[in-house]
Amino acid sequence: MALYSDVVMDHFRNPRNVGVIEDANGIGEEGNAVCGDIMKIYLKINDDEIIEDVKFETFGCTSAIASSSMATEMIKGKPVSEALELSNKAVAEALQGLPENKMHCSVLAEEAIKKAIEDYQSRKNK
Ligand code: FES
């Protein structure tokens, strides 16, 4: 069996939502101390708490890039409350699975999104 699903390879080769949002109102970064991979998520959230745009920069492995790409697709256009519920398992399932020893890569996406939303909420409360 191939190590990675076709969906993983597609998102790795043609990642969606790569880049920076200059006027982002929520930014989150998460890293993994073991492998050294880093993921940064930019959110543009409107007054109705809808994620209008999302972009990412990931310095990481195949699974980390595919997870960032898939996770950003899954929260784009969604309410903040829904994005907060996104689990790494849901991202991995949408990717048609990740190898067991690569599940931690999808955790980066979940955590980076949560941090970006926390950043948005703390800016809003200022
Ligand atoms: Fe580090 Fe995948 S090996 S995020």
Side-chain angles (χ1 to χ4, degrees):
M1 205 189 98
L3 184 59
Y4 294 115
S5 72
D6 290 345
V7 184
V8 170
M9 290 315 294
D10 177 37
H11 279 264
F12 171 63
R13 291 200 177 106
N14 308 294
R16 283 56 148 187
N17 311 310
V18 176
V20 173
I21 300 176
E22 294 297 344
D23 60 343
N25 51 3
I27 299 174
E29 188 174 302
E30 181 69 4
N32 181 300
V34 178
C35 63
D37 292 348
I38 296 171
M39 189 182 296
K40 196 163 180 181
I41 297 274
Y42 299 83
L43 299 174
K44 182 75 190 163
I45 298 170
N46 69 17
D47 293 342
D48 297 323
E49 304 250 300
I50 302 290
I51 298 171
E52 263 180 8
D53 200 9
V54 48
K55 296 231 181 285
F56 77 88
E57 291 178 306
T58 292
F59 176 81
C61 70
T62 305
S63 302
I65 290 167
S67 295
S68 324
S69 172
M70 180 57 87
T72 53
E73 284 287 271
M74 289 170 87
I75 64 167
K76 204 175 193 174
K78 297 277 166 54
V80 168
S81 56
E82 224 173 283
L84 269 176
E85 308 266 294
L86 183 75
S87 70
N88 78 297
K89 283 207 177 85
V91 174
E93 266 166 35
L95 289 168
Q96 292 183 351
L98 285 171
E100 201 43 51
N101 63 348
K102 288 284 178 178
M103 280 303 283
H104 75 271
C105 317
S106 60
V107 174
L108 282 189
E110 179 189 326
E111 293 299 322
I113 288 170
K114 288 207 167 87
K115 284 190 175 174
I117 293 173
E118 278 166 21
D119 179 46
Y120 159 76
Q121 286 167 339
S122 73
R123 289 184 199 210
K124 211 177 72 171
N125 294 333
K126 263 190 194 145

